[in-house]
């Protein structure tokens, strides 16, 4: 009898919740609700839960978040995080526990955060960086390397060492056994331009790709066989003076700056067509002139471009003046451009470190973050163009 009463009560609650709003009307309304609020809305009733997922599937799907991490350069090196959700066109402040400081926070491709010293290496790669892993430092000390996560291996390559000019070997850390291993041979691009400042890094399920920004010369590394491939020429032409690589819709893309660092005339996007040589590039879009001006900001020059990619999105920024963030959504072989003001890019932040990552954040990820008890999300006002 008690079980029947509970079922009747639940049915009455669902009927009450959907008495005035139901069906297509409910789904349309939910399509305008920020994703973070949908996590709560779907708990109203079974009907609302179905409506939330139907709305996400058919009306306004989930899109990758851009996350901006700000770390103080002074003790205790406090770190804050803000996320931009392009589906909802809102910024969110993410309140989180302090990150146990190891060193300066860094990221050399779209998903991985890391910190390193001569004694310790800490890294995190889940969408909202709920979990941090800590390991012994790599066998060879270096500053400003490129770091990437490929499958179950963390790859550390390049970098510089103050006491010598010899190129540093590549190292891999196997998450399964917790052990570093060395690969002695490295390509010329890592000998001539070892610092991550001069290199662009992208990863897929099997390989890490490294491009020298100025020349477009690219190599790939397979950690499962410890084998390098290349070189490949990914420079779209002599008119491109700096480029960056990433993966959009599972295809490699090249973003190129046209002109020179003091007179950027345009920004274009190319797809690297699949093939063993990876040398055929197909232009898929050009940034509108107005957005090129916003990208440059108040900088006197723009020597390189910051790029984060996930799914069908590419986020671009000026590393020296990230006050405006450029969005590019690639669908059906074409680009849809937009921009959003960086709510973290205020005058105060110029004296602090900004690190950009990109993440697939769905309702399951938000549910885990909220249930963990150490993440709180607050929607912030913002202006989208």
């Amino acid at each position: 009898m008690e079980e029947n009463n509970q079922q009747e009560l639940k049915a009455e609650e669902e009927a009450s919740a959907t008495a005035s709003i139901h069906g297509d009307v409910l789904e349309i309304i939910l399509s305008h609700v920020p994703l973070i609020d949908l996590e709560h809305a779907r708990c109203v009733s079974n009907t609302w839960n179905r409506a939330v997922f139907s709305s996400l599937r058919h009306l306004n799907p989930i899109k990758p978040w851009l996350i901006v991490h700000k770390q103080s350069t002074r003790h205790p090196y406090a770190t804050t995080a803000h996320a931009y959700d392009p589906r909802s066109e809102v910024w969110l402040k993410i309140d989180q526990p302090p990150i146990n400081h190891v060193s300066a926070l860094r990221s050399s491709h779209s998903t991985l955060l890391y910190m390193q010293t001569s004694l310790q290496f800490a890294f995190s790669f889940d969408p909202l960086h709920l979990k941090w892993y800590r390991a012994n430092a790599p066998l060879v000390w270096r500053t400003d390397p490129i770091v990437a996560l490929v499958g179950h291996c963390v790859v550390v390559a390049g970098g510089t060492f103050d006491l010598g000019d010899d190129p540093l070997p590549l190292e891999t850390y196997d998450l399964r056994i917790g052990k570093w291993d060395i690969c002695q041979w490295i390509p010329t691009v890592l000998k001539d331009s070892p610092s991550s400042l001069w290199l662009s890094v992208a990863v897929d399920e099997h390989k890490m790709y490294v491009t020298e920004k100025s020349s477009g010369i690219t190599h790939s590394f397979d950690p499962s066989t410890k084998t390098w491939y290349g070189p490949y020429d990914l420079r779209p032409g002599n008119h491109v003076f700096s480029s960056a690589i990433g993966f959009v819709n599972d295809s490699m893309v090249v973003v190129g700056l046209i002109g020179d660092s003091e007179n950027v005339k345009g920004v274009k996007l190319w797809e690297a067509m699949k093939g063993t040589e990876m040398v055929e590039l197909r232009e898929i879009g050009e940034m509108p002139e107005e957005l090129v001006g916003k990208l440059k900001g108040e900088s006197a020059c723009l020597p390189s471009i910051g790029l984060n990619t996930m799914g069908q999105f590419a986020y671009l920024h000026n590393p020296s003046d990230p006050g405006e963030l450029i969005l590019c959504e690639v669908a059906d072989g074409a680009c849809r451009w937009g921009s959003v003001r960086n709510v973290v890019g205020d005058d105060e932040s110029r004296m602090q470190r900004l690190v950009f990552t990109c993440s697939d954040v769905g309702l399951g990820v938000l549910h885990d973050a909220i249930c963990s008890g150490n993440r709180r999300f607050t929607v912030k006002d913002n202006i989208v163009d």
Side-chain angles (χ1 to χ4, degrees):
M1 179 67 69
E2 182 178 351
E3 183 177 351
N4 290 336
N5 290 337
Q6 290 178 348
Q7 291 176 349
E8 290 176 3
L9 179 59
K10 185 175 182 180
E12 289 177 2
E13 290 175 348
E14 289 195 19
S16 175
T18 59
S20 57
I21 305 176
H22 57 81
D24 294 342
V25 174
L26 177 59
E27 292 183 18
I28 292 172
I29 292 174
L30 292 172
S31 71
H32 297 281
V33 175
L35 186 67
I36 184 62
D37 295 324
L38 290 183
E39 168 56 26
H40 302 289
R42 72 188 186 99
C43 298
V44 171
S45 66
N46 290 336
T47 301
W48 275 55
N49 183 61
R50 290 191 295 269
V52 165
F53 282 100
S54 180
S55 176
L56 291 174
R57 187 179 305 113
H58 301 294
L59 299 180
N60 192 2
I62 292 173
K63 297 176 181 179
W65 287 13
L66 178 71
I67 304 179
V68 185
H69 311 264
K70 182 170 69 173
Q71 184 185 49
S72 172
T73 56
R74 299 178 179 179
H75 184 79
Y77 310 101
T79 301
T80 61
H82 291 76
Y84 179 68
D85 173 9
R87 173 201 171 271
S88 312
E89 296 185 346
V90 297
W91 280 96
L92 300 103
K93 180 183 179 183
I94 306 176
D95 292 316
Q96 60 188 16
I99 298 175
N100 291 331
H101 179 260
V102 174
S103 65
L105 188 68
R106 296 180 182 273
S107 176
S108 61
H109 72 96
S110 292
T111 59
L112 179 72
L113 285 177
Y114 73 94
M115 298 180 286
Q116 65 159 2
T117 67
S118 59
L119 299 175
Q120 190 178 62
F121 184 80
F123 57 99
S124 175
F125 52 84
D126 61 273
L128 293 174
H129 303 288
L130 299 178
K131 183 175 182 180
W132 280 83
Y133 298 83
R134 297 179 183 273
N136 292 330
L139 302 175
V140 178
W141 168 247
R142 65 193 82 201
T143 59
D144 203 21
I146 56 172
V147 181
L149 177 68
V150 184
H152 55 78
C153 284
V154 175
V155 182
V156 179
T160 58
F161 181 55
D162 294 338
L163 300 181
D165 297 326
D166 293 336
L168 300 175
L170 176 146
E171 297 186 61
T172 60
Y173 180 80
D174 193 322
L175 296 175
R176 299 170 300 180
I177 61 176
K179 181 181 178 182
W180 289 99
D181 198 5
I182 285 183
C183 174
Q184 290 291 348
W185 188 86
I186 60 173
T188 303
V189 66
L190 288 178
K191 297 177 182 178
D192 297 338
S193 303
S195 171
S196 63
L197 181 65
W198 311 112
L199 302 170
S200 179
V201 182
V203 301
D204 61 15
E205 294 180 357
H206 306 290
K207 294 180 181 178
M208 174 185 74
Y209 301 82
V210 182
T211 294
E212 187 181 39
K213 294 179 180 179
S214 60
S215 69
I217 298 301
T218 301
H219 288 75
S220 63
F221 177 75
D222 184 343
S224 65
T225 61
K226 294 184 171 55
T227 304
W228 283 98
Y229 299 90
Y232 313 111
D233 184 2
L234 291 188
R235 188 178 185 182
N238 293 332
H239 59 303
V240 174
F241 70 90
S242 181
S243 59
I245 59 172
F247 278 90
V248 176
N249 293 326
D250 297 323
S251 295
M252 179 175 285
V253 297
V254 179
V255 176
L257 298 178
I258 299 170
D260 59 64
S261 61
E262 296 182 354
N263 183 23
V264 178
K265 297 180 179 179
V267 181
K268 288 188 177 182
L269 191 72
W270 290 265
E271 178 185 4
M273 305 299 289
K274 292 183 178 180
T276 56
E277 296 303 319
M278 288 181 55
V279 293
E280 184 178 352
L281 299 177
R282 180 180 69 88
E283 183 179 326
I284 56 177
E286 181 172 7
M287 185 183 297
E289 184 177 350
E290 177 188 359
L291 296 185
V292 175
K294 289 186 175 184
L295 176 68
K296 291 189 289 187
E298 299 178 0
S299 298
C301 64
L302 180 61
S304 65
I305 193 168
L307 174 66
N308 295 87
T309 60
M310 181 71 68
Q312 61 188 34
F313 268 80
Y315 294 95
L316 303 92
H317 69 273
N318 179 348
S320 61
D321 184 10
E324 194 78 12
L325 308 175
I326 310 300
L327 290 64
C328 178
E329 184 175 10
V330 181
D332 300 321
C335 295
R336 188 176 70 178
W337 299 89
S339 71
V340 61
R341 180 175 60 85
N342 181 5
V343 299
V344 190
D346 53 25
D347 292 336
E348 180 184 348
S349 69
R350 295 177 187 273
M351 303 302 295
Q352 304 187 53
R353 178 182 298 275
L354 294 186
V355 179
F356 296 80
T357 58
C358 197
S359 298
D360 272 326
V361 178
L363 293 179
V365 172
L366 288 175
H367 177 79
D368 291 343
I370 293 171
C371 289
S372 71
N374 59 18
R375 292 295 187 281
R376 188 162 59 91
F377 302 87
T378 306
V379 175
K380 297 177 65 72
D381 293 333
N382 81 135
I383 300 173
V384 179
D385 294 334

